[in-house]
């Protein structure tokens, strides 16, 4: 059960908690391919679809474990490899990545996300914890958060307890005083619990919980989280 009196800060996952990530990535990869058609046609022809570009990104991830926690560097390197393989100028990787990352930040929030963020920010210091490369300023959320913790900066990814510990330190509280909110059973819920935090699972897909350790709170969307926290006195 959720201990409301213990919560002094809230940590939020971003992708698939505040917005759906795969429609966003799909659009960004299409924009990247269109950019290549105009600026690096040999690469566009060799990797003739966004899916092909994703496949080379996945291949680079296997070949470069040193980039496992840095989605920006991983995507940039996969574009560079694609350009080089096709005989195009690998220095085009920079502007090609810029086209991708601009669209990657063109997110479509879940309807419940912004009202919930506003509610939470008025009551708790907020910190984001993400394995991805979303930038709070670029999606318009920076004013609501006091800190942002990303795997690419910390050097470890969720569910590693160290990234949760860094997040607690960033808002000046102990891990047990943080409620972490996220959609992923392992990365968010079990990771946060193992770090000593309380964990709220945002279960938008009505999935069954398969693990022994359970979230302290399960909600269908962030409106449910607002309802659960609405009785906290300030």
């Amino acid at each position: 059960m959720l201990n409301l009196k213990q919560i002094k800060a809230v940590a939020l996952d971003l992708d698939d908690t505040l917005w759906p990530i795969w429609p966003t990535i799909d659009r960004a990869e299409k924009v990247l391919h269109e950019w290549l058609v105009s600026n690096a046609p040999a690469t566009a022809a060799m990797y003739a679809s966004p899916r092909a570009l994703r496949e080379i990104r996945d291949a680079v991830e296997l070949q470069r474990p040193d980039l496992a926690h840095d989605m920006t560097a991983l995507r940039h390197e996969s574009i560079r490899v694609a350009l080089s393989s096709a005989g195009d100028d690998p220095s085009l990787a920079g502007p090609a990545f810029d086209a991708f990352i601009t669209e990657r930040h063109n997110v479509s929030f879940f309807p419940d996300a912004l009202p919930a963020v506003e509610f939470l920010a008025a009551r708790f210091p907020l910190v984001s914890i993400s394995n991805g490369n979303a930038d709070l300023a670029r999606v318009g959320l920076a004013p609501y958060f006091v800190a942002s913790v990303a795997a690419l900066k910390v050097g470890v990814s969720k569910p590693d307890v160290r990234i949760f510990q860094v997040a607690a330190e960033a808002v000046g509280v102990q891990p047990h005083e943080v409620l972490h909110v996220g959609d992923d059973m392992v990365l968010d819920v079990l990771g946060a619990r193992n770090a000593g935090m309380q964990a709220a699972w945002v279960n938008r897909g009505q999935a069954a919980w398969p693990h022994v350790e359970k979230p302290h709170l399960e909600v269908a969307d962030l409106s449910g989280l607002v309802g659960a926290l609405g009785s906290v006195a300030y």
Side-chain angles (χ1 to χ4, degrees):
M1 294 292 293
L2 197 63
N3 184 344
L4 296 177
K5 295 181 179 179
Q6 195 168 276
I7 302 169
K8 293 186 179 179
V10 172
L12 280 170
D13 173 52
L14 299 177
D15 295 327
D16 280 335
T17 296
L18 300 184
W19 57 77
I21 184 55
W22 285 112
T24 305
I25 295 298
D26 286 343
R27 291 195 309 270
E29 289 177 336
K30 288 176 183 176
V31 166
L32 171 59
H33 191 265
E34 291 166 1
W35 189 97
L36 293 172
V37 169
S38 298
N39 297 278
T43 304
M46 178 174 284
Y47 301 95
S49 69
R51 180 176 296 276
L53 290 170
R54 187 178 299 178
E55 288 173 355
I56 194 168
R57 178 245 182 243
D58 293 343
V60 171
E61 184 175 17
L62 293 174
Q63 297 162 7
R64 293 290 305 273
D66 57 307
L67 301 180
H69 308 299
D70 190 338
M71 296 298 102
T72 291
L74 179 61
R75 179 69 68 169
H76 188 283
E77 176 62 10
S78 69
I79 296 170
R80 189 196 66 78
V81 169
L83 290 162
S84 297
S85 299
D88 281 322
D89 182 358
S91 69
L92 292 173
F97 175 77
D98 289 344
F100 170 87
I101 201 67
T102 296
E103 186 62 27
R104 188 260 188 268
H105 284 97
N106 184 22
V107 299
S108 297
F109 292 98
F110 290 117
D112 52 279
L114 291 179
V117 169
E118 291 174 355
F119 172 91
L120 293 170
R123 290 160 175 80
F124 303 98
L126 298 187
V127 56
S128 64
I129 310 178
S130 179
N131 287 354
N133 55 2
D135 182 280
L136 290 176
R138 295 185 73 166
V139 297
L141 292 180
Y144 299 104
F145 287 78
V146 302
S148 174
V149 176
L152 63 93
K153 297 177 183 177
V154 180
V156 296
S157 302
K158 295 182 294 183
D160 192 303
V161 297
R162 289 172 290 178
I163 196 170
F164 295 97
Q165 292 165 347
V166 169
E169 292 171 3
V171 289
V173 301
Q174 296 299 311
H176 72 273
E177 297 172 318
V178 178
L179 171 64
H180 178 66
V181 182
D183 70 287
D184 193 281
M185 297 179 188
V186 175
L187 302 185
D188 291 307
V189 177
L190 297 185
R193 285 196 56 125
N194 289 339
M197 294 181 176
Q198 295 192 80
W201 181 35
V202 184
N203 182 15
R204 296 183 184 275
Q206 307 289 307
W209 182 262
H211 305 284
V212 174
E213 281 194 302
K214 296 182 178 181
H216 296 86
L217 175 69
E218 177 182 338
V219 294
D221 57 31
L222 292 172
S223 299
L225 177 69
V226 168
L229 298 181
S231 61
V232 180
Y234 298 94

